[in-house]
Amino acid sequence: MYRAKIVGTGFYVPPRVITNHDLEKLMDTSDEWIQQRTGIKERYYVEDGVGASDLAYEASKRALESAGLKPEDIDFIVFATLSPDYTFPGSGVLLQQKLSARHVGALDVRDQCTGFLYSLMVADNAIRVGQYKNVLVVGAEVHSTGLDYSTEGRDVTVLFGDGAGAVILTATEEKDRGILSTHLYSDGTYADRLWAEWPSSRRLPRVTHKILEEGKHFPKMDGPFVFKHAVRRMVEVIKEALDTNGYTLDDVAMIIPHQANLRINQMVARQLKLPENKMYNNIDRYGNTTAATIPIALTEVLEKELVKDGDLIIMVSFGAGFTWASVAAIL
Ligand code: ACO
């Protein structure tokens, strides 16, 4: 039996920085409100014509370089995104072509903020059974082209940014390294508490001028409701990761949570009685990049040497669906 070890990470954000003050010019909001309620100071937006696969390509190149591998070494691609370049085909195949990787399988995963952790589960299991040696797992999002920049959309729009993060998992026979556990959950009861209802294949036509004029194609969220569930589920699923593997929080070097709102993560830390230096947050600089948040944060944690070889980390997320998950790993 193999284990899936993290051997390379990388991330990429587009060059255009959008501060809270930039958003103040577009809608009735303020730097003070955004920082106080979310912890966000700035985020990055793409230029027109740049898609999730372009951001993923840059992040993947960096992850491959840090792993000392080449695109031809990749045996499988898993691409998590809620903002694929096109309705179809998926962004995974576009990434395969951009990287000039071999004709390997390329799977798109559509589980929003939890998409990267769902993707790690797929990669981990494929490696454990010996099907693949090197798997590229990417989370990439372009939100900026799909947000409502009027005051009506301010609760959602100020939160999101564009970006990509990538991880290379490699099969190892080392017993004390790699992904230890993956716990995934969903509850579709609350699908409409955080969603983009239009365009919809349930409707003929899938979108109308009226729907576009009314802004019904923009993401909608019941923020306080999502907030409450996020805190509860993230605490639960971190505890489950610890219990399953026979660890306590004292054994953990770093919790790397999804970056939806700094206050959510602070509340999770408070409920767990987790010391501040054991949770990594970078939402101030990137906003919520959905499937990309965890691989971006993981790359930073490794680059800043906040963790070392042999350390236990727990990655945890909650998002639209609802979906939530945790992944425990030894570096
Ligand atoms: N600027 C100024 N005022 C605003 C803004 C804004 N950008 N957005 C909302 N407000 C106003 C509201 O209109 C409201 O005004 P009112 O009191 O006059 O009605 C007031 O601020 C308070 O609104 P709330 O929604 O209660 O504010 P809250 O403190 O809950 O913060 C937020 C809103 C930031 C959206 C928060 O609820 C949140 O982060 N929710 C969870 C987000 C999340 O976890 N998403 C999941 C991941 S995303 C994914 O999966 C795709």
Side-chain angles (χ1 to χ4, degrees):
M1 191 80 155
Y2 298 98
R3 278 266 180 84
K5 185 178 176 182
I6 297 166
V7 295
T9 61
F11 79 92
Y12 177 77
V13 287
R16 188 155 60 112
V17 182
I18 304 292
T19 65
N20 294 342
H21 295 296
D22 292 326
L23 296 179
E24 281 173 358
K25 292 174 201 143
L26 303 172
M27 62 187 79
D28 180 12
T29 190
S30 67
D31 176 52
E32 193 194 354
W33 190 97
I34 301 171
Q35 284 209 45
Q36 257 180 23
R37 302 284 182 130
T38 73
I40 299 167
K41 293 183 182 152
E42 56 192 34
R43 73 288 287 141
Y44 293 85
Y45 283 2
V46 295
E47 299 296 339
D48 189 26
V50 175
S53 68
D54 299 305
L55 303 183
Y57 170 62
E58 297 298 335
S60 301
K61 277 196 302 189
R62 293 173 188 194
L64 282 165
E65 199 183 312
S66 91
L69 294 175
K70 302 213 158 357
E72 55 266 33
D73 297 319
I74 299 169
D75 300 314
F76 190 52
I77 296 168
V78 193
F79 196 125
T81 185
L82 70 65
S83 51
D85 300 55
Y86 308 111
T87 304
F88 71 88
S91 291
V93 300
L94 304 181
L95 179 60
Q96 177 277 329
Q97 183 267 332
K98 284 180 176 140
L99 284 169
S100 303
R102 288 179 291 115
H103 294 164
V104 296
L107 172 70
D108 272 43
V109 170
R110 295 282 309 276
D111 287 280
Q112 302 68 246
C113 297
T114 316
F116 182 75
L117 299 188
Y118 271 54
S119 300
L120 285 183
M121 184 280 287
V122 173
D124 179 43
N125 281 291
I127 287 173
R128 277 177 188 264
V129 298
Q131 187 168 5
Y132 300 125
K133 183 163 186 259
N134 300 314
V135 180
L136 168 62
V137 183
V138 193
E141 304 287 359
V142 172
H143 285 298
S144 58
T145 51
L147 298 171
D148 179 358
Y149 293 100
S150 76
T151 295
E152 208 176 314
R154 63 184 180 177
D155 59 327
V156 173
T157 298
V158 301
L159 302 176
F160 290 99
D162 302 337
V167 163
I168 311 287
L169 293 176
T170 293
T172 179
E173 290 185 73
E174 293 171 271
K175 292 277 168 279
D176 54 353
R177 288 291 186 280
I179 293 180
L180 303 178
S181 64
T182 56
H183 291 98
L184 316 185
Y185 293 98
S186 67
D187 184 354
T189 314
Y190 306 121
D192 63 357
R193 299 299 185 117
L194 174 49
W195 69 339
E197 189 183 359
W198 298 85
S200 166
S201 60
R202 298 156 68 102
R203 307 301 184 112
L204 182 70
R206 292 182 176 182
V207 70
T208 62
H209 289 292
K210 187 162 176 285
I211 290 293
L212 294 176
E213 277 156 20
E214 289 171 353
K216 287 191 174 160
H217 58 299
F218 292 125
K220 302 279 185 284
M221 175 169 70
D222 180 346
F225 188 82
V226 176
F227 192 111
K228 237 177 24 211
H229 282 255
V231 173
R232 173 152 73 94
R233 296 307 193 182
M234 283 166 76
V235 168
E236 263 174 29
V237 83
I238 289 170
K239 285 184 178 163
E240 187 172 14
L242 291 170
D243 293 347
T244 302
N245 297 295
Y247 287 118
T248 69
L249 277 174
D250 291 342
D251 301 309
V252 177
M254 192 66 75
I255 301 245
I256 302 173
H258 174 52
Q259 306 289 310
N261 185 326
L262 182 63
R263 287 166 55 225
I264 292 179
N265 293 349
Q266 287 170 335
M267 222 170 261
V268 169
R270 209 172 307 138
Q271 291 197 11
L272 291 170
K273 301 189 176 58
L274 186 75
E276 215 171 279
N277 65 346
K278 283 199 178 191
M279 178 182 273
Y280 189 74
N281 287 301
N282 60 8
I283 192 169
D284 57 324
R285 286 171 287 132
Y286 304 111
N288 181 352
T289 57
T290 310
T293 65
I294 290 180
I296 291 175
L298 175 62
T299 304
E300 287 193 343
V301 163
L302 289 164
E303 283 177 357
K304 292 179 180 175
E305 299 182 354
L306 301 177
V307 289
K308 57 185 189 313
D309 201 38
D311 274 352
L312 171 66
I313 61 166
I314 295 181
M315 297 168 269
V316 62
S317 192
F318 179 92
F322 293 155
T323 56
W324 61 102
S326 67
V327 174
I330 306 263
L331 294 170

